[in-house]
Amino acid sequence: MSTRWVQRLRGAIEAATGAQSAAEAEGAWRRVADADTLRVTLVGPWSAGKSSLIKRLLVEDGSPVPPWLSVSASRETYEIREARSAGVTYVDTPGLGSDEQRHDLLALSTVAATDLLVVTVTPQLLGTDVDRLAALADGTAITPYGGGFFPPGALVVVISKADMAGVDPIDDLGGFRAMVDRKRSSVVTALRRHVRGDLPPVIAVVADLGGQHARNPQPNVSAFAEGREWDGVQALRAALAGADAGRLRAAAQVRHWARAAAIAREQATSALAESQDELRRMQADRSRVLVLDEELAAIDASAASRLRDDIRDEMHSVIMQGAVDETEQLAEQMAERLNSCVAAWHAESTGKLVALARRAQVELSPVATDSGGRSLSMPTEQFVTQTAAADGLDARLSEFVAKGLVVADKLQELRLGIRSADVPEHLDQYQSLLDRVHPDAYARTLSLLGIDGVLTNPQYAQELAGLQKHEGVSELIAYLRKPGGIVSPVHAERLKNTAHTLRIAADVAPVLLELLRMQQQERASQDLRDKRAQLQAQADGAATRQAEQILGGGAQGTGWRGQVAELRTALRAGAPDDEAMKLAEQRGAQLATARDDLDAALRELATASIEG
């Protein structure tokens, strides 16, 4: 029957905590199973006389006493120590109740993997000592549900240091024996409240009367002759000698695996709670991303609508306030006002995107950590400045915030440094140089040249020198160094937008001039009103085209819509996809099933007989 239980418990452990845990439990058991002696483990509170008792048993067997038995262990001692004698291996464990939880855990693991357990209690019978004894006897120290893990002969209770209970056996042997009987009855009464069936033997022992031989490293057996009739040592030796090693080891195997299963159950319960917390976090992130995505859509729609209205209003304002009568003058006036208008719009709108990105940094996975275990929940300024060191969602959001701040700042600079009339010539020269740059070097060259001050920054000198080995790069850099022309790819993009604005302004200028003249003439005829409406519609169409150009950002898609798309991608990266959610749910279900299987096995084991 023990084999069936071992197989079931091992399988449940492997399912709950993995093959490695099961293998470690198997390895721990093999060290016991391969032992050629009866393993007798002593467990009890600190300073309960376990070491003195082992020393006395060795002396009675005529075996040498190891050095560690001659040294009083401190309360912090944290080790399992063994001594072999006459076919028995005595195992001394750390004292229980020493305020060191790891001592108790180590002792319990040793208790589980032993053939015969000797539990020592002090004659004062402290409540904690009795409760600990009861938990071992009813099995609740092994698993939460207890069980008959100690069949007859597998557990012996020793009231140690019985001579310290207040009656000196030398002066009053009768009184001492009466006191021992009372102590034994108290232990039996306490155990009957917890243990079903036969109780373990309870033996009062005086291993070393008054500690006379505590400092003697190798006492002679004759030194204990005086108390041999009443000190209980012979009764304990008889209980140990009568042990059926084969039967006890089979019970120890089940007990060991039951303890391992109880530990695995605790680990699975903890892992399940963490898995459920993670799933709830993932669900919350998905909900937050949906809300942020909706806010982004609202910002996008509002910004696009406002841009169209602002451009149209600027055109109308020129009509209402302007006093020019030449197309070129009106086009330049329109271009200046539109550039100022668009820059202000872009700065404000981009600021809203940056604010949304910063919110996402705070709201999405605020307790996530990077590969080095460091928290990613840092102030927004750190997100902006530490983009290169971040990973995943935070990197995308940080990059967007940094880029957005730069774009908003640059668009506030209305002076382009080149006369409007010279813009087409400079753009043609710049584009011809770009066309000569080798495709392999094109992207990195433009990326570097888009950095402010890169041509004078020694930090980038080496990389620029390497890029200049490619065709056309040297000529492009030489051109950008010349004063009075295009100085960077960013500058070139702004010039392109300006040139486009000028073209649209030039296209619409005759229409606006005619509108202006009609207004100045203040003609009220219906024909003129119809004509005004028609021309006004053309002007509004030009405003819409200008807005679409700015929103779209040209063929490269680098305008407003590109920014919105970039932020949307970063936001959605913060929400787990369906596959990740499915895996998390499956993991939780697997852990719950494994935990429940362990729980069911331990519950059944609590009412089963491990023998038979």
Side-chain angles (χ1 to χ4, degrees):
M1 183 172 182
S2 62
T3 301
R4 178 175 66 84
W5 276 113
V6 168
Q7 291 175 344
R8 180 176 177 183
L9 292 171
R10 173 171 182 145
I13 291 171
E14 185 168 344
T17 57
Q20 180 65 28
S21 296
E24 290 174 357
E26 177 64 29
W29 172 248
R30 290 316 320 164
R31 290 190 289 273
V32 177
D34 295 341
D36 56 358
T37 60
L38 179 74
R39 290 183 66 83
V40 176
T41 298
L42 283 79
V43 65
W46 177 78
S47 194
K50 299 188 299 299
S51 298
S52 298
L53 183 55
I54 294 175
K55 181 178 179 179
R56 174 68 184 278
L57 292 170
L58 292 174
V59 171
E60 293 292 335
D61 291 341
S63 300
V65 179
W68 60 266
L69 278 174
S70 299
V71 179
S72 178
S74 68
R75 185 180 292 264
E76 292 78 20
T77 300
Y78 180 52
E79 56 183 311
I80 300 292
R81 294 179 291 198
E82 300 180 358
R84 291 170 62 98
S85 173
V88 177
T89 297
Y90 295 105
V91 182
D92 192 12
T93 62
L96 299 175
S98 62
D99 297 327
E100 288 283 349
Q101 184 181 18
R102 56 182 179 164
H103 288 191
D104 288 3
L105 295 175
L106 180 62
L108 287 176
S109 296
T110 307
V111 163
T114 192
D115 298 323
L116 192 152
L117 179 65
V118 176
V119 183
T120 61
V121 295
T122 61
Q124 289 75 24
L125 298 180
L126 300 176
T128 53
D129 294 345
V130 173
D131 291 343
R132 194 178 294 114
L133 169 61
L136 287 167
D138 67 12
T140 53
I142 306 299
T143 78
Y145 308 115
F149 295 114
F150 294 95
L155 178 64
V156 176
V157 180
V158 169
I159 303 175
S160 63
K161 296 184 177 182
D163 57 322
M164 305 298 290
V167 180
D168 190 331
I170 302 299
D171 295 339
D172 184 2
L173 183 58
F176 172 77
R177 285 174 171 164
M179 179 274 298
V180 166
D181 287 341
R182 290 194 302 272
K183 296 292 183 179
R184 186 184 295 111
S185 295
S186 297
V187 174
V188 169
T189 299
L191 287 176
R192 285 210 179 279
R193 291 197 296 267
H194 299 276
V195 181
R196 301 186 302 271
D198 297 335
L199 295 180
V202 181
I203 305 172
V205 173
V206 180
D208 183 5
L209 180 63
Q212 302 175 54
H213 306 289
R215 297 186 179 277
N216 188 347
Q218 296 292 337
N220 191 283
V221 67
S222 62
F224 302 100
E226 182 181 12
R228 186 164 283 110
E229 294 183 2
W230 47 262
D231 64 12
V233 173
Q234 299 308 312
L236 176 59
R237 294 184 71 206
L240 300 181
D244 182 348
R247 183 176 63 86
L248 295 184
R249 183 148 296 179
Q253 185 181 20
V254 176
R255 187 166 59 247
H256 166 77
W257 282 101
R259 178 61 188 163
I263 294 173
R265 175 184 173 275
E266 292 177 3
Q267 294 172 342
T269 299
S270 177
L272 177 58
E274 291 177 2
S275 175
Q276 291 170 337
D277 288 343
E278 175 66 11
L279 182 58
R280 284 191 289 270
R281 185 195 66 77
M282 294 171 71
Q283 292 169 338
D285 276 353
R286 294 192 79 172
S287 298
R288 292 189 186 100
V289 167
L290 287 176
V291 172
L292 292 169
D293 206 1
E294 290 177 358
E295 291 186 27
L296 176 60
I299 291 173
D300 182 23
S302 174
S305 175
R306 183 187 156 211
L307 176 62
R308 297 186 187 98
D309 291 345
D310 286 354
I311 293 174
R312 185 172 60 249
D313 290 346
E314 288 299 325
M315 289 185 173
H316 291 180
S317 179
V318 170
I319 297 170
M320 299 299 295
Q321 300 174 13
V324 296
D325 56 3
E326 294 183 6
T327 299
E328 183 178 352
Q329 291 178 346
L330 184 59
E332 289 183 357
Q333 186 180 113
M334 283 293 303
E336 181 179 353
R337 296 190 64 144
L338 289 179
N339 278 332
S340 178
C341 162
V342 170
W345 167 85
H346 211 306
E348 179 181 345
S349 300
T350 302
K352 293 180 180 179
L353 295 186
V354 171
L356 186 65
R358 283 175 165 164
R359 270 187 53 205
Q361 289 172 328
V362 175
E363 294 180 10
L364 296 180
S365 307
V367 296
T369 57
D370 64 13
S371 58
R374 296 164 298 188
S375 173
L376 293 179
S377 294
M378 58 181 71
T380 303
E381 287 71 21
Q382 288 178 277
F383 272 112
V384 175
T385 58
Q386 296 183 10
T387 301
D391 294 317
L393 167 66
D394 290 323
R396 296 190 184 196
L397 291 175
S398 298
E399 182 180 3
F400 182 85
V401 170
K403 288 169 59 179
L405 292 175
V406 171
V407 170
D409 182 61
K410 292 301 179 184
L411 284 172
Q412 292 287 21
E413 300 176 9
L414 301 180
R415 296 184 61 84
L416 299 176
I418 296 177
R419 292 176 58 250
S420 299
D422 297 334
V423 167
E425 179 183 353
H426 282 287
L427 286 177
D428 288 342
Q429 292 178 15
Y430 175 74
Q431 188 60 48
S432 66
L433 289 170
L434 281 185
D435 292 340
R436 296 183 55 198
V437 176
H438 193 279
D440 292 341
Y442 181 85
R444 184 52 185 163
T445 300
L446 289 189
S447 176
L448 271 179
L449 295 178
I451 301 173
D452 283 347
V454 69
L455 296 177
T456 58
N457 191 332
Q459 176 184 351
Y460 300 101
Q462 186 174 357
E463 187 170 2
L464 283 173
L467 287 170
Q468 289 183 57
K469 297 177 182 178
H470 295 275
E471 180 183 355
V473 175
S474 296
E475 291 81 353
L476 177 60
I477 292 175
Y479 170 77
L480 295 177
R481 287 182 183 273
K482 293 180 180 179
I486 296 175
V487 296
S488 71
V490 173
H491 189 190
E493 286 299 318
R494 286 161 47 205
L495 287 176
K496 289 180 183 179
N497 289 333
T498 299
H500 185 81
T501 300
L502 285 170
R503 286 196 299 272
I504 290 180
D507 289 342
V508 77
V511 175
L512 297 179
L513 275 175
E514 189 169 350
L515 283 171
L516 182 58
R517 290 178 181 134
M518 291 174 65
Q519 177 182 317
Q520 291 171 342
Q521 294 172 2
E522 295 182 348
R523 296 178 181 176
S525 69
Q526 185 61 46
D527 290 341
L528 288 178
R529 287 197 296 272
D530 292 343
K531 183 63 175 178
R532 179 187 293 274
Q534 181 183 1
L535 295 174
Q536 188 70 62
Q538 292 180 30
D540 291 347
T544 299
R545 292 196 302 275
Q546 173 70 12
E548 285 301 315
Q549 167 68 18
I550 295 169
L551 292 171
Q556 302 300 320
T558 56
W560 167 261
R561 292 197 177 109
Q563 285 184 290
V564 171
E566 185 179 357
L567 179 53
R568 181 173 287 113
T569 298
L571 290 177
R572 292 179 179 177
D577 57 23
D578 292 341
E579 183 64 22
M581 293 289 292
K582 182 179 179 181
L583 290 175
E585 291 170 352
Q586 289 176 346
R587 174 60 177 159
Q590 290 169 355
L591 283 170
T593 299
R595 191 274 314 271
D596 292 345
D597 287 347
L598 278 170
D599 200 69
L602 293 177
R603 286 181 184 275
E604 291 180 31
L605 186 56
T607 58
S609 171
I610 63 174
E611 294 187 299

